[in-house]
């Protein structure tokens, strides 16, 4: 146990520097609180910390390792991500050094950053609002517990967040996918527009629009509009996509109220049952191993779904192995993700005179159309949306489907191949008690903290909606005249969509939920959890925008309560 | 249907495709692509290099070897390949060398180009069958491997990106209705 630091100058501690931690720090510091941010990962500077940004492809930088063996040995989980390569490896968790537990037949992919900025650096930036179709679903269907908030509670905070992060997109006037404060949309290409028209022509209740993405099409203070160079996940020194590093952390620093400590792993929280407050945060320096304790008036846990819940589960009291935050028994349970890697793709004949210019960091979106106006009688509840894109096949594919070699072969590859269109569904996973994370009874990590162990399985509802995802993707591609249609429905792995959420759900009843309607712990008035752990259901849209809105809203509430003397 | 490229289209927003092919080897910077000597004999190395230039010869743009594909081959074969991949590669290569003696009565490298092309065609014929969609990242024998390595090394080289293709590091905009006739080549970015 380390020494207790003097903490007079720290009003709030924020654990985690990712998408929600950045927002908590910005909001708290702008409201005049002295903020200390604790980040488990390595330091990283905006711009200079980005590897390979704008480097020509033939000079790609890495550290000279032999990546294939290295990945297998040290990054076997992280290297499954599309955003993992030699330019981003320093953002990611080293799986060998930071193990977790799961059974071979019951795998879980915990994709995890290990750097300041967290996964806000390599997120896919898709930003969609929830609607009351989502917030009311649990109550209507008697699944899980009722959300303690509705769309009207979050709508102003969505607007507040969108204006700051910058979301480009097209207003559509859909109840199930509310419009936001959009910058001008990126373009759909000629084939995407063809497919969109064909889909709505055949299925009047379905629309295809350009993705809503936290990538700027118009400049914001200190951030330039996107220059369409392509590999966003390497980092963007012009701040053209939203990340903590480009946006919220600079805003927090500008207040003069913000301090960041990297390499600071939060082990657990100390709880005072008499005052019902978190009295200290226990921290281990990941470089020196030194233990420290901090205290503050407000604690914001923004360490990611699994990270925050691991801290809470490890926060037991002296004579118990039960977390102070687990009166409900819901802590670590009702974990969700999204289903994906189901859908179809096909070749779209024609349009051969067109060849898009620039690397658009965005695709198309087909909002949910299933069970929108009551139960469609399809054998599953809730729904899914599609993401995808159209493009032309290039040398790497065409070289394989073009027999032969020599001058004619080389000449044949000068032209792009045919257009393809791909549609992949993201589907809602219901909250099941058995989908869970817990602390392993004996396995510990290198800091002596119990490892997380996962159990995650997919239910009938998920299997059924995925069958529909594939069937409808094929039907829509057929409507667009596609040939060589290739349906896909690959094996599902929990966590693989990197939308893991739940495990410390919000709800009115302390006997059922960990957090209240303001992301405040039922058990501790000065503790707020505002990342994905708070979710009581999963919707089918990408969740990060909702986490950010919940965070800004929770800070507003927390500071008001603090000033009123209620915390 | 070639899944890799199609999945790459999806990967813009879906993510998650890890190619097992040598395409990831191009992430290794040029200066660090150091081949291990002795894995390839001098003859094997020379024949592999010759095959690369048969696959992508000099035309109005440089050949594979002129683009530095030889060094890429040496690196991937001696360092990047797993033992099982190397075994398949060498088995097919050695078979071609022996056929050269039995069919043409001479070393592959000493044969006229027309005979070398015939031999490489025969190698292709032994592997690919009639279905052009049967090519796979790590499937096939010598021909598919040398073709994949040559093509990958060429199009990702500076020559392949800037002379054979058009490299625009900072597009500055996106135009989904751009005409192919305005560029006339593949984009390299």
């Amino acid at each position: 146990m380390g020494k207790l630091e003097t903490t007079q100058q720290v009003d709030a501690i924020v654990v985690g520097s990712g998408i929600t931690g950045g927002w908590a720090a910005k909001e708290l510091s702008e409201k005049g609180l002295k903020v200390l941010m604790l980040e488990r990962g390595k330091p990283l500077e905006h711009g200079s910390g980005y590897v390979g940004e704008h480097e020509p492809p033939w000079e790609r930088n890495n550290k000279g390792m032999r990546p294939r063996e290295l990945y297998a040995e040290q990054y076997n989980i992280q290297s499954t991500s599309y955003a993992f390569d030699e330019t981003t490896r320093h953002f990611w968790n080293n799986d060998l050094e930071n193990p977790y537990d799961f059974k071979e037949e019951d795998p879980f992919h915990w994709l995890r950053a290990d750097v300041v900025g967290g996964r806000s650096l390599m997120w896919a930036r898709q930003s969609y609002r929830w609607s009351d179709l989502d917030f009311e679903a649990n109550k209507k269907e008697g699944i899980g517990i009722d959300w303690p908030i509705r769309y009207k509670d979050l709508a102003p905070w969505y607007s507040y967040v969108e204006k700051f992060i910058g979301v480009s997109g097209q207003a559509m006037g859909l109840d199930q996918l509310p419009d936001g404060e959009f910058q001008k949309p990126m373009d759909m290409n000629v084939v995407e527009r063809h497919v969109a028209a064909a889909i709505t022509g055949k299925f009047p209740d379905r629309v295809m629009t350009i993705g809503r993405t936290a990538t700027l099409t118009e400049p914001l203070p200190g951030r330039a509009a996107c220059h369409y160079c392509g590999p966003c996940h390497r980092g963007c020194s012009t701040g053209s996509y939203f990340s903590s590093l480009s946006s919220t952390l600079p805003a927090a620093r500008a207040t003069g109220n913000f301090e960041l400590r990297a390499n600071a792993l939060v082990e657990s929280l100390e709880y005072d049952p008499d005052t019902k407050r978190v009295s200290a945060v226990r921290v281990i320096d990941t470089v020196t191993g030194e233990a420290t304790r901090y205290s503050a008036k407000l604690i914001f846990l923004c360490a990611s779904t699994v990270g925050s819940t691991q801290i809470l589960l490890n926060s037991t009291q002296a004579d118990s192995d039960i977390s102070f935050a687990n009166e409900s028994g819901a802590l670590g349970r009702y974990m969700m993700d999204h289903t994906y890697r189901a859908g179809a793709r096909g070749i779209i004949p024609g349009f051969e005179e067109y060849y898009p210019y620039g690397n658009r960091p965005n695709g198309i979106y087909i909002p949910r159309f299933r069970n929108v106006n009551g139960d469609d009688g399809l054998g599953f509840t809730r729904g899914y949306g599609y993401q995808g894109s159209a493009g032309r096949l290039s040398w790497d594919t065409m070289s394989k489907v073009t027999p032969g070699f020599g001058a004619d072969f080389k000449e044949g590859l000068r032209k792009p191949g045919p257009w393809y269109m791909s549609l992949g569904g993201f589907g809602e996973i219901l909250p099941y008690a058995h989908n869970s994370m817990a602390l392993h009874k004996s396995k510990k990590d290198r800091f002596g903290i119990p490892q997380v162990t996962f159990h995650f399985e997919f239910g009938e509802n998920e299997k059924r909606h995925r069958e529909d995802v594939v069937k409808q993707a094929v039907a829509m591609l057929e409507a667009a005249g596609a040939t060589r249609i290739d349906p896909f429905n690959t094996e599902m792995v929990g966590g693989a969509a990197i939308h893991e959420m739940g495990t410390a759900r919000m709800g009115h009843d302390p006997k059922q939920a960990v957090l209240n309607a303001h992301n405040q712990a039922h058990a501790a008035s000065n503790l707020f959890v505002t990342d994905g752990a708070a979710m009581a259901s999963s919707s089918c849209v990408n969740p990060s925008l909702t986490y950010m809105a919940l965070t800004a809203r929770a800070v507003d509430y927390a500071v008001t309560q603090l000033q009123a003397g209620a915390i | 249907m070639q899944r890799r490229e199609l999945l790459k289209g999806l990967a813009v927003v879906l993510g998650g495709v890890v190619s097992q092919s040598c395409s990831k080897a191009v992430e290794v910077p040029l200066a660090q692509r150091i081949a291990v000597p002795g894995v390839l004999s001098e003859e094997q190395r020379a024949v592999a290099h010759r095959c690369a230039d048969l696959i992508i010869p000099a035309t109005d743009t440089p050949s594979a070897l002129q683009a530095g594909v030889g060094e890429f081959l040496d690196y991937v074969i001696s360092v990047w390949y797993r033992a099982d991949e190397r075994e398949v590669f060498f088995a097919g290569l050695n078979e071609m060398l022996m056929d050269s003696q039995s069919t043409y009565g001479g070393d592959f490298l000493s044969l006229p180009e027309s005979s070398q092309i015939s031999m490489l065609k025969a190698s292709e014929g032994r592997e690919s069958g009639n279905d052009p969609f049967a090519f796979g990242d790590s499937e096939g024998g010598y021909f598919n491997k040398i073709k994949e390595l040559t093509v990958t090394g060429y199009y990702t080289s500076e020559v392949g990106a800037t002379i054979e293709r058009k490299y625009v590091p900072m597009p500055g905009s996106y135009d989904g209705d751009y005409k192919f006739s305005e560029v006339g080549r593949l984009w390299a970015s």
Side-chain angles (χ1 to χ4, degrees):
Chain A
M1 185 98 14
K3 63 188 186 297
L4 183 63
E5 297 257 319
T6 54
T7 54
Q8 285 90 335
Q9 73 277 36
V10 176
D11 298 317
I13 290 171
V14 175
V15 181
S17 65
I19 269 192
T20 56
W23 265 98
K26 170 186 176 302
E27 294 299 298
L28 289 162
S29 60
E30 287 180 346
K31 290 176 187 294
L33 277 72
K34 296 285 183 189
V35 175
L36 173 66
M37 175 179 276
L38 301 169
E39 165 56 53
R40 156 189 107 95
K42 304 174 286 286
L44 189 83
E45 293 299 323
H46 179 51
S48 64
Y50 304 149
V51 171
E53 188 191 10
H54 303 145
E55 268 186 22
W58 59 91
E59 281 178 8
R60 266 176 218 166
N61 190 15
N62 77 359
K63 297 181 177 62
M65 304 299 290
R66 295 166 60 182
R68 211 152 61 157
E69 288 172 9
L70 178 78
Y71 292 3
E73 186 193 33
Q74 299 187 29
Y75 298 94
N76 60 316
I77 301 292
Q78 310 304 315
S79 61
T80 61
S81 169
Y82 69 97
F84 183 98
D85 62 28
E86 281 306 283
T87 64
T88 59
R89 183 157 57 83
H90 62 307
F91 295 166
W92 293 92
N93 194 51
N94 183 308
D95 294 315
L96 189 66
E97 289 179 2
N98 304 285
Y100 64 90
D101 182 71
F102 59 87
K103 293 187 181 69
E104 283 302 318
E105 68 275 16
D106 178 23
F108 187 89
H109 282 182
W110 183 10
L111 280 300
R112 191 180 191 196
D114 189 19
V115 73
V116 169
R119 289 180 295 186
S120 78
L121 283 165
M122 56 289 210
W123 71 311
R125 307 166 302 280
Q126 294 288 298
S127 299
Y128 301 98
R129 292 188 179 200
W130 280 37
S131 72
D132 273 334
L133 188 65
D134 302 308
F135 287 113
E136 291 174 355
N138 279 3
K139 184 177 187 183
K140 277 186 179 167
E141 299 168 4
I143 292 170
I145 56 170
D146 185 23
W147 274 90
I149 57 172
R150 290 292 182 266
Y151 179 65
K152 66 175 167 47
D153 299 308
L154 213 48
W157 296 103
Y158 277 130
S159 291
Y160 180 74
V161 165
E162 286 160 348
K163 284 179 194 164
F164 181 79
I165 70 174
V167 177
S168 62
Q170 178 72 52
M172 303 291 285
L174 300 171
D175 288 341
Q176 74 271 34
L177 192 76
D179 295 329
E181 310 285 340
F182 295 141
Q183 294 196 344
K184 67 182 180 192
M186 292 179 184
D187 290 337
M188 288 202 285
N189 63 44
V190 60
V191 166
E192 289 163 346
R193 293 199 310 276
H194 158 75
V195 174
I199 289 172
T200 302
K202 178 82 183 284
F203 306 98
D205 62 333
R206 303 181 193 180
V207 293
M208 186 168 121
T209 184
I210 188 70
R212 297 172 177 178
T213 179
T215 307
L216 304 184
T217 53
E218 300 165 34
L220 284 176
R223 297 171 57 199
C226 177
H227 47 269
Y228 298 89
C229 74
C232 300
H233 56 278
R234 294 181 185 178
C236 184
S237 58
T238 63
S240 302
Y241 75 85
F242 172 81
S243 70
S244 301
L245 285 186
S246 71
S247 307
T248 44
L249 298 186
R253 275 195 196 97
T255 66
N257 294 327
F258 173 71
E259 184 189 345
L260 166 65
R261 191 179 154 193
N263 296 323
L265 171 68
V266 172
E267 175 193 5
S268 62
L269 308 178
E270 289 178 23
Y271 180 67
D272 181 347
D274 296 330
T275 60
K276 294 194 74 171
R277 292 165 61 90
V278 172
S279 50
V281 177
R282 292 181 185 156
V283 178
I284 298 171
D285 187 302
T286 59
V287 177
T288 66
E290 186 192 4
T292 314
R293 297 160 74 233
Y294 293 97
S295 61
K297 294 171 195 162
L298 291 176
I299 314 292
F300 269 73
L301 271 190
C302 301
S304 81
T305 294
V306 176
S308 289
T309 296
Q310 182 182 23
I311 291 167
L312 291 176
L313 286 168
N314 201 34
S315 301
T316 55
Q317 298 182 73
D319 52 352
S320 163
D321 59 358
I322 308 279
S323 165
F324 76 87
N326 198 18
E327 186 194 348
S328 64
L331 187 66
R333 302 169 81 187
Y334 306 99
M335 177 180 272
M336 298 158 284
D337 187 22
H338 287 140
T339 64
Y340 90 136
R341 290 181 184 162
R345 56 208 153 212
I347 298 296
I348 305 291
F351 303 96
E352 285 177 9
E353 65 269 40
Y354 296 102
Y355 189 40
Y357 170 88
N359 302 296
R360 187 189 60 191
N362 192 13
I364 57 84
Y365 194 68
I366 298 176
R368 175 174 158 186
F369 52 83
R370 288 307 197 197
N371 302 319
V372 170
N373 300 302
D375 189 331
D376 289 345
L378 296 160
F380 62 87
T381 185
R382 318 254 171 137
Y384 54 82
Y386 291 99
Q387 300 182 27
S389 63
R392 296 192 70 165
L393 297 174
S394 192
W395 61 269
D396 49 349
T397 298
M398 295 315 294
S399 66
K400 289 168 191 274
V401 299
T402 307
F405 55 90
D408 291 346
F409 168 77
K410 183 183 177 188
E411 178 66 25
L413 294 186
R414 286 239 170 117
K415 278 190 180 172
W419 284 87
Y420 65 87
M421 179 81 217
S422 58
L423 296 174
F426 279 79
E428 177 161 0
I429 295 180
L430 298 175
Y432 302 108
H434 56 253
N435 281 344
S436 60
M437 56 171 283
L439 299 184
H440 197 276
K441 298 261 187 289
S442 56
K443 289 186 182 172
K444 299 202 167 169
D445 68 15
R446 61 199 159 108
F447 305 107
I449 297 171
Q451 286 183 25
V452 174
T453 179
F454 292 95
H455 172 76
F456 201 94
E457 61 189 77
F458 296 84
E460 265 315 298
N461 202 64
E462 289 74 43
K463 287 172 190 154
R464 285 187 192 153
H465 84 225
R466 277 169 69 91
E467 286 165 12
D468 196 49
V469 162
V470 175
K471 198 171 152 189
Q472 299 311 315
V474 169
M476 290 188 283
L477 289 175
E478 282 173 347
T483 61
R484 297 195 78 108
I485 294 174
D486 178 27
F488 58 93
N489 189 348
T490 52
E491 193 181 352
M492 295 185 281
V493 177
I498 327 182
H499 293 168
E500 74 279 7
M501 63 182 103
T503 68
R505 65 187 182 184
M506 294 166 72
H508 287 301
D509 184 354
K511 297 254 181 302
Q512 294 189 312
V514 177
L515 307 170
N516 69 15
H518 296 277
N519 297 75
Q520 183 181 33
H522 283 298
S525 63
N526 66 336
L527 173 63
F528 292 77
V529 183
T530 69
D531 55 32
M535 305 302 272
S537 67
S538 69
S539 178
C540 67
V541 302
N542 304 55
S544 296
L545 182 71
T546 298
Y547 303 164
M548 290 190 259
L550 285 171
T551 303
R553 178 174 174 271
V555 169
D556 185 67
Y557 175 83
V559 173
T560 305
Q561 293 291 301
L562 188 66
Q563 286 163 347
I567 292 179
Chain B
M1 188 66 54
Q2 282 302 303
R3 285 164 193 260
R4 187 149 64 96
E5 178 64 18
L6 291 176
L7 283 167
K8 272 167 82 180
L10 275 180
V12 173
V13 283
L14 284 183
V17 181
V18 178
S19 169
Q20 293 304 310
S21 82
C22 62
S23 62
K24 285 256 171 185
V26 302
E27 290 171 9
V28 179
L30 289 175
Q32 288 161 5
R33 291 180 193 166
I34 300 163
V36 174
V39 176
L40 289 121
S41 71
E42 275 310 306
E43 186 188 21
Q44 287 170 329
R45 181 170 180 271
V47 171
H49 284 208
R50 177 65 190 143
C51 288
D53 256 13
L54 292 174
I55 291 166
I56 299 188
T59 53
D60 57 336
T61 55
S63 74
L65 293 183
Q66 287 166 343
V69 168
E71 289 74 15
F72 182 71
L73 294 185
D74 296 347
Y75 167 74
V76 173
I77 295 162
S78 68
V79 177
W80 181 269
Y81 267 173
R82 289 188 310 260
D84 59 315
E85 293 164 326
R86 212 172 280 138
E87 195 176 323
V88 169
F89 184 88
F90 284 132
L93 177 59
N94 291 336
E95 187 181 356
M96 206 172 70
L97 296 186
M98 284 188 288
D99 283 356
S100 173
Q101 296 291 348
S102 59
T103 309
Y104 294 92
D107 292 345
F108 182 87
L109 292 168
S110 66
L111 300 179
E113 184 170 295
S114 59
S115 302
Q116 291 176 337
I117 288 172
S118 295
M119 296 213 60
L120 200 55
K121 276 187 178 159
S123 177
E124 179 179 21
R126 283 195 291 271
E127 291 173 22
S128 56
N130 295 320
D131 182 2
F133 289 88
F135 286 87
D137 275 342
S138 296
E139 295 162 16
Y142 173 73
F143 180 79
N144 278 348
K145 288 196 182 320
I146 190 75
K147 183 173 171 180
E148 182 186 36
L149 291 185
T150 301
V151 167
T152 302
Y154 185 70
Y155 286 93
T156 57
S157 70
E158 185 168 3
V159 163
T162 63
I163 300 177
E164 181 67 22
R165 297 191 288 158
K166 175 76 174 172
Y167 178 56
V168 183
M170 283 290 169
S173 62
Y174 176 76
D175 183 351
D177 294 75
Y178 198 80
K179 291 286 176 57
F180 176 67
S181 58
E182 291 183 47
V183 56
R185 288 182 285 163
L186 295 180
W187 297 121
S189 45

